mmCIF file with all atom_site columns, all heavy atoms in Angstrom:
data_model
loop_
_atom_site.group_PDB
_atom_site.id
_atom_site.type_symbol
_atom_site.label_atom_id
_atom_site.label_alt_id
_atom_site.label_comp_id
_atom_site.label_asym_id
_atom_site.label_entity_id
_atom_site.label_seq_id
_atom_site.pdbx_PDB_ins_code
_atom_site.Cartn_x
_atom_site.Cartn_y
_atom_site.Cartn_z
_atom_site.occupancy
_atom_site.B_iso_or_equiv
_atom_site.pdbx_formal_charge
_atom_site.auth_seq_id
_atom_site.auth_comp_id
_atom_site.auth_asym_id
_atom_site.auth_atom_id
_atom_site.pdbx_PDB_model_num
ATOM 1   N N   . GLU A 1 97  ? -8.811  33.205 23.771 1.00 0.00 ? 97  GLU A N   1
ATOM 2   C CA  . GLU A 1 97  ? -9.442  33.767 22.549 1.00 0.00 ? 97  GLU A CA  1
ATOM 3   C C   . GLU A 1 97  ? -10.664 32.896 22.198 1.00 0.00 ? 97  GLU A C   1
ATOM 4   O O   . GLU A 1 97  ? -11.735 33.409 21.715 1.00 0.00 ? 97  GLU A O   1
ATOM 5   C CB  . GLU A 1 97  ? -8.508  33.791 21.429 1.00 0.00 ? 97  GLU A CB  1
ATOM 6   C CG  . GLU A 1 97  ? -9.025  34.529 20.174 1.00 0.00 ? 97  GLU A CG  1
ATOM 7   C CD  . GLU A 1 97  ? -8.094  34.627 18.990 1.00 0.00 ? 97  GLU A CD  1
ATOM 8   O OE1 . GLU A 1 97  ? -7.148  33.767 18.967 1.00 0.00 ? 97  GLU A OE1 1
ATOM 9   O OE2 . GLU A 1 97  ? -8.291  35.489 18.103 1.00 0.00 ? 97  GLU A OE2 1
ATOM 10  N N   . ALA A 1 98  ? -10.618 31.601 22.400 1.00 0.00 ? 98  ALA A N   1
ATOM 11  C CA  . ALA A 1 98  ? -11.727 30.733 22.111 1.00 0.00 ? 98  ALA A CA  1
ATOM 12  C C   . ALA A 1 98  ? -12.901 31.050 22.970 1.00 0.00 ? 98  ALA A C   1
ATOM 13  O O   . ALA A 1 98  ? -14.057 31.043 22.536 1.00 0.00 ? 98  ALA A O   1
ATOM 14  C CB  . ALA A 1 98  ? -11.364 29.275 22.310 1.00 0.00 ? 98  ALA A CB  1
ATOM 15  N N   . VAL A 1 99  ? -12.682 31.412 24.261 1.00 0.00 ? 99  VAL A N   1
ATOM 16  C CA  . VAL A 1 99  ? -13.750 31.817 25.159 1.00 0.00 ? 99  VAL A CA  1
ATOM 17  C C   . VAL A 1 99  ? -14.370 33.076 24.634 1.00 0.00 ? 99  VAL A C   1
ATOM 18  O O   . VAL A 1 99  ? -15.628 33.195 24.620 1.00 0.00 ? 99  VAL A O   1
ATOM 19  C CB  . VAL A 1 99  ? -13.218 31.992 26.606 1.00 0.00 ? 99  VAL A CB  1
ATOM 20  C CG1 . VAL A 1 99  ? -14.206 32.771 27.468 1.00 0.00 ? 99  VAL A CG1 1
ATOM 21  C CG2 . VAL A 1 99  ? -12.883 30.637 27.215 1.00 0.00 ? 99  VAL A CG2 1
ATOM 22  N N   . TRP A 1 100 ? -13.603 34.045 24.180 1.00 0.00 ? 100 TRP A N   1
ATOM 23  C CA  . TRP A 1 100 ? -14.121 35.256 23.640 1.00 0.00 ? 100 TRP A CA  1
ATOM 24  C C   . TRP A 1 100 ? -15.040 34.985 22.397 1.00 0.00 ? 100 TRP A C   1
ATOM 25  O O   . TRP A 1 100 ? -16.091 35.584 22.261 1.00 0.00 ? 100 TRP A O   1
ATOM 26  C CB  . TRP A 1 100 ? -13.020 36.207 23.202 1.00 0.00 ? 100 TRP A CB  1
ATOM 27  C CG  . TRP A 1 100 ? -12.180 36.721 24.344 1.00 0.00 ? 100 TRP A CG  1
ATOM 28  C CD1 . TRP A 1 100 ? -12.457 36.630 25.682 1.00 0.00 ? 100 TRP A CD1 1
ATOM 29  C CD2 . TRP A 1 100 ? -10.878 37.379 24.214 1.00 0.00 ? 100 TRP A CD2 1
ATOM 30  N NE1 . TRP A 1 100 ? -11.451 37.210 26.400 1.00 0.00 ? 100 TRP A NE1 1
ATOM 31  C CE2 . TRP A 1 100 ? -10.487 37.687 25.542 1.00 0.00 ? 100 TRP A CE2 1
ATOM 32  C CE3 . TRP A 1 100 ? -10.104 37.743 23.165 1.00 0.00 ? 100 TRP A CE3 1
ATOM 33  C CZ2 . TRP A 1 100 ? -9.272  38.369 25.839 1.00 0.00 ? 100 TRP A CZ2 1
ATOM 34  C CZ3 . TRP A 1 100 ? -8.899  38.377 23.377 1.00 0.00 ? 100 TRP A CZ3 1
ATOM 35  C CH2 . TRP A 1 100 ? -8.497  38.663 24.715 1.00 0.00 ? 100 TRP A CH2 1
ATOM 36  N N   . ALA A 1 101 ? -14.591 34.035 21.595 1.00 0.00 ? 101 ALA A N   1
ATOM 37  C CA  . ALA A 1 101 ? -15.391 33.660 20.393 1.00 0.00 ? 101 ALA A CA  1
ATOM 38  C C   . ALA A 1 101 ? -16.743 33.118 20.854 1.00 0.00 ? 101 ALA A C   1
ATOM 39  O O   . ALA A 1 101 ? -17.787 33.413 20.279 1.00 0.00 ? 101 ALA A O   1
ATOM 40  C CB  . ALA A 1 101 ? -14.641 32.659 19.566 1.00 0.00 ? 101 ALA A CB  1
ATOM 41  N N   . VAL A 1 102 ? -16.688 32.187 21.830 1.00 0.00 ? 102 VAL A N   1
ATOM 42  C CA  . VAL A 1 102 ? -18.013 31.570 22.339 1.00 0.00 ? 102 VAL A CA  1
ATOM 43  C C   . VAL A 1 102 ? -18.898 32.650 22.855 1.00 0.00 ? 102 VAL A C   1
ATOM 44  O O   . VAL A 1 102 ? -20.100 32.667 22.576 1.00 0.00 ? 102 VAL A O   1
ATOM 45  C CB  . VAL A 1 102 ? -17.692 30.528 23.422 1.00 0.00 ? 102 VAL A CB  1
ATOM 46  C CG1 . VAL A 1 102 ? -18.954 30.073 24.057 1.00 0.00 ? 102 VAL A CG1 1
ATOM 47  C CG2 . VAL A 1 102 ? -16.948 29.384 22.773 1.00 0.00 ? 102 VAL A CG2 1
ATOM 48  N N   . GLU A 1 103 ? -18.363 33.584 23.643 1.00 0.00 ? 103 GLU A N   1
ATOM 49  C CA  . GLU A 1 103 ? -19.195 34.634 24.225 1.00 0.00 ? 103 GLU A CA  1
ATOM 50  C C   . GLU A 1 103 ? -19.907 35.470 23.168 1.00 0.00 ? 103 GLU A C   1
ATOM 51  O O   . GLU A 1 103 ? -21.060 35.828 23.306 1.00 0.00 ? 103 GLU A O   1
ATOM 52  C CB  . GLU A 1 103 ? -18.306 35.515 25.114 1.00 0.00 ? 103 GLU A CB  1
ATOM 53  C CG  . GLU A 1 103 ? -17.862 34.822 26.374 1.00 0.00 ? 103 GLU A CG  1
ATOM 54  C CD  . GLU A 1 103 ? -16.816 35.626 27.179 1.00 0.00 ? 103 GLU A CD  1
ATOM 55  O OE1 . GLU A 1 103 ? -16.272 36.640 26.619 1.00 0.00 ? 103 GLU A OE1 1
ATOM 56  O OE2 . GLU A 1 103 ? -16.596 35.243 28.314 1.00 0.00 ? 103 GLU A OE2 1
ATOM 57  N N   . VAL A 1 104 ? -19.190 35.751 22.048 1.00 0.00 ? 104 VAL A N   1
ATOM 58  C CA  . VAL A 1 104 ? -19.781 36.545 20.971 1.00 0.00 ? 104 VAL A CA  1
ATOM 59  C C   . VAL A 1 104 ? -20.853 35.659 20.221 1.00 0.00 ? 104 VAL A C   1
ATOM 60  O O   . VAL A 1 104 ? -21.974 36.133 20.021 1.00 0.00 ? 104 VAL A O   1
ATOM 61  C CB  . VAL A 1 104 ? -18.748 36.991 19.960 1.00 0.00 ? 104 VAL A CB  1
ATOM 62  C CG1 . VAL A 1 104 ? -19.365 37.558 18.704 1.00 0.00 ? 104 VAL A CG1 1
ATOM 63  C CG2 . VAL A 1 104 ? -17.875 38.050 20.609 1.00 0.00 ? 104 VAL A CG2 1
ATOM 64  N N   . LEU A 1 105 ? -20.518 34.426 19.872 1.00 0.00 ? 105 LEU A N   1
ATOM 65  C CA  . LEU A 1 105 ? -21.463 33.612 19.110 1.00 0.00 ? 105 LEU A CA  1
ATOM 66  C C   . LEU A 1 105 ? -22.706 33.287 19.864 1.00 0.00 ? 105 LEU A C   1
ATOM 67  O O   . LEU A 1 105 ? -23.805 33.099 19.288 1.00 0.00 ? 105 LEU A O   1
ATOM 68  C CB  . LEU A 1 105 ? -20.750 32.273 18.727 1.00 0.00 ? 105 LEU A CB  1
ATOM 69  C CG  . LEU A 1 105 ? -19.525 32.427 17.751 1.00 0.00 ? 105 LEU A CG  1
ATOM 70  C CD1 . LEU A 1 105 ? -19.094 30.998 17.331 1.00 0.00 ? 105 LEU A CD1 1
ATOM 71  C CD2 . LEU A 1 105 ? -19.923 33.234 16.511 1.00 0.00 ? 105 LEU A CD2 1
ATOM 72  N N   . LYS A 1 106 ? -22.625 33.241 21.202 1.00 0.00 ? 106 LYS A N   1
ATOM 73  C CA  . LYS A 1 106 ? -23.819 32.951 22.044 1.00 0.00 ? 106 LYS A CA  1
ATOM 74  C C   . LYS A 1 106 ? -24.840 34.076 21.913 1.00 0.00 ? 106 LYS A C   1
ATOM 75  O O   . LYS A 1 106 ? -26.028 33.857 22.185 1.00 0.00 ? 106 LYS A O   1
ATOM 76  C CB  . LYS A 1 106 ? -23.426 32.802 23.497 1.00 0.00 ? 106 LYS A CB  1
ATOM 77  C CG  . LYS A 1 106 ? -22.594 31.572 23.823 1.00 0.00 ? 106 LYS A CG  1
ATOM 78  C CD  . LYS A 1 106 ? -23.403 30.276 23.697 1.00 0.00 ? 106 LYS A CD  1
ATOM 79  C CE  . LYS A 1 106 ? -24.457 30.142 24.770 1.00 0.00 ? 106 LYS A CE  1
ATOM 80  N NZ  . LYS A 1 106 ? -25.193 28.832 24.676 1.00 0.00 ? 106 LYS A NZ  1
ATOM 81  N N   . GLU A 1 107 ? -24.457 35.221 21.445 1.00 0.00 ? 107 GLU A N   1
ATOM 82  C CA  . GLU A 1 107 ? -25.351 36.388 21.351 1.00 0.00 ? 107 GLU A CA  1
ATOM 83  C C   . GLU A 1 107 ? -26.493 36.132 20.329 1.00 0.00 ? 107 GLU A C   1
ATOM 84  O O   . GLU A 1 107 ? -27.531 36.696 20.434 1.00 0.00 ? 107 GLU A O   1
ATOM 85  C CB  . GLU A 1 107 ? -24.554 37.651 20.927 1.00 0.00 ? 107 GLU A CB  1
ATOM 86  C CG  . GLU A 1 107 ? -23.569 38.105 21.967 1.00 0.00 ? 107 GLU A CG  1
ATOM 87  C CD  . GLU A 1 107 ? -22.622 39.209 21.439 1.00 0.00 ? 107 GLU A CD  1
ATOM 88  O OE1 . GLU A 1 107 ? -22.816 39.667 20.270 1.00 0.00 ? 107 GLU A OE1 1
ATOM 89  O OE2 . GLU A 1 107 ? -21.753 39.581 22.208 1.00 0.00 ? 107 GLU A OE2 1
ATOM 90  N N   . LEU A 1 108 ? -26.266 35.200 19.398 1.00 0.00 ? 108 LEU A N   1
ATOM 91  C CA  . LEU A 1 108 ? -27.298 34.942 18.397 1.00 0.00 ? 108 LEU A CA  1
ATOM 92  C C   . LEU A 1 108 ? -28.371 33.973 18.899 1.00 0.00 ? 108 LEU A C   1
ATOM 93  O O   . LEU A 1 108 ? -29.452 33.942 18.321 1.00 0.00 ? 108 LEU A O   1
ATOM 94  C CB  . LEU A 1 108 ? -26.587 34.346 17.108 1.00 0.00 ? 108 LEU A CB  1
ATOM 95  C CG  . LEU A 1 108 ? -27.475 34.206 15.866 1.00 0.00 ? 108 LEU A CG  1
ATOM 96  C CD1 . LEU A 1 108 ? -28.057 35.562 15.454 1.00 0.00 ? 108 LEU A CD1 1
ATOM 97  C CD2 . LEU A 1 108 ? -26.653 33.646 14.732 1.00 0.00 ? 108 LEU A CD2 1
ATOM 98  N N   . GLY A 1 109 ? -28.105 33.344 19.967 1.00 0.00 ? 109 GLY A N   1
ATOM 99  C CA  . GLY A 1 109 ? -29.128 32.438 20.524 1.00 0.00 ? 109 GLY A CA  1
ATOM 100 C C   . GLY A 1 109 ? -29.243 31.080 19.834 1.00 0.00 ? 109 GLY A C   1
ATOM 101 O O   . GLY A 1 109 ? -30.211 30.334 20.051 1.00 0.00 ? 109 GLY A O   1
#
Side-chain angles (χ1 to χ4, degrees):
E97 188 180 20
V99 165
W100 294 347
V102 171
E103 290 172 348
V104 170
L105 296 185
K106 291 292 289 183
E107 295 171 4
L108 190 57

